[in-house]
Amino acid sequence: MAHRLDSSLIKGMHLFREMADDSMERMLQAALPRRLDSGGIVFVQGEEARHFFVLLDGRLKVTQSNPAGEQIVVRHVVPGELFGIARAIRRPDYPGTAAAVAESLVLAWPSARWDDFVAESPVLAINALQTVGQRLQEAHGRIRELSTEEVERRVAHAVLRLMSQAGRKTDEGIAIDIPLTRRDIAEMSGTTLHTVSRLLSSWQERGLVGGGRKRVVVADPHGLFMLAEGKG
């Protein structure tokens, strides 16, 4: 099945930017396509990292569980993103669990092939390093928010990050194009479901956000940004 995949599927993605066409074609031929229904698991926290992945279509959620069994949402994966690259950073297992939150299509490659791909196309390593660096910056930002900011600003930052990752312009504002529960936002911002519900209701009354069940629309991005920066 892999040889039927067209290189146009991945050519515009950040990970493959500036790769030579023949290198990209060989990498694509080695890809293993996987379709996932909503709720389908790509990999589980602690599992041996035998593959790395690129999301072609759909949406994924990455979660981690602490020793007490509490779960937190680490990030959402949107089309074009590289994920599950544990072996590429010399980690033997997956640090979190990745699951589809909508019907999704991923491409998988054996982790053992990573070094071969990088040797043939060093730009792949550069692009992957940029991805890792961006996620490290996001993680540092969240740690700073959790340790220094009041809860309303933390929740505002979480919503703005999601808007940046998966925002889509609509007549109502910028819709976060991910099935998103209030519990997800609570886990991302280190607070309670009750607090997130109260804040979103308040922001809706102020015209900052809209939406409905599993849907958030940022109606006033500038107003929410000012709130996140403590100026609202």
Side-chain angles (χ1 to χ4, degrees):
M1 180 176 180
H3 70 278
R4 298 177 184 173
L5 294 171
D6 193 301
S7 61
S8 64
L9 288 171
I10 64 173
K11 194 166 187 178
M13 295 179 177
H14 172 80
L15 179 66
F16 304 101
R17 189 176 58 194
E18 297 182 17
M19 278 185 70
D21 289 346
D22 56 346
S23 296
M24 190 185 309
E25 192 63 39
R26 279 191 287 274
M27 190 170 179
L28 190 61
Q29 288 175 1
L32 308 170
R34 290 178 57 184
R35 290 193 177 275
L36 298 161
D37 293 328
S38 180
I41 303 296
V42 186
F43 52 77
V44 175
Q45 182 174 342
E47 184 178 75
E48 182 182 355
R50 295 181 177 179
H51 295 87
F52 66 94
F53 308 85
V54 167
L55 179 62
L56 280 187
D57 188 45
R59 296 289 187 272
L60 305 176
K61 178 169 67 175
V62 180
T63 60
Q64 286 184 342
S65 296
N66 63 21
E70 298 170 328
Q71 178 180 284
I72 61 169
V73 177
V74 177
R75 68 189 321 272
H76 286 80
V77 182
V78 298
E81 283 198 58
L82 173 70
F83 66 103
I85 55 170
R87 288 282 292 272
I89 56 175
R90 301 302 183 255
R91 178 174 177 138
D93 61 345
Y94 296 114
T97 296
V101 294
E103 186 176 343
S104 300
L105 173 63
V106 302
L107 295 181
W109 289 269
S111 294
R113 298 293 306 275
W114 177 261
D115 289 343
D116 294 336
F117 293 146
V118 168
E120 179 176 352
S121 184
V123 71
L124 179 66
I126 294 171
N127 293 343
L129 184 61
Q130 290 176 342
T131 298
V132 172
Q134 180 182 359
R135 292 180 190 169
L136 187 60
Q137 284 187 321
E138 290 175 2
H140 285 169
R142 289 180 65 179
I143 291 170
R144 183 179 62 252
E145 291 163 14
L146 289 170
S147 61
T148 64
E149 293 183 357
E150 62 181 21
V151 65
E152 186 169 34
R153 292 179 62 190
R154 297 203 308 263
V155 176
H157 274 298
V159 173
L160 287 169
R161 270 195 302 272
L162 290 165
M163 184 190 76
S164 175
Q165 290 176 356
R168 176 174 54 84
K169 289 185 178 180
T170 70
D171 292 340
E172 302 169 81
I174 301 178
I176 297 174
D177 203 13
I178 297 171
L180 186 66
T181 67
R182 295 185 175 192
R183 186 175 297 280
D184 289 338
I185 298 173
E187 291 173 359
M188 293 183 72
S189 52
T191 188
T192 64
L193 175 60
H194 172 75
T195 297
V196 169
S197 296
R198 176 177 57 80
L199 287 173
L200 289 179
S201 296
S202 172
W203 294 351
Q204 194 160 2
E205 290 176 2
R206 295 166 58 182
L208 296 173
V209 302
R213 186 175 179 271
K214 292 190 176 182
R215 183 171 181 267
V216 175
V217 178
V218 181
D220 182 359
H222 178 71
L224 192 61
F225 174 79
M226 294 300 286
L227 185 63
E229 296 301 305
K231 300 173 184 177

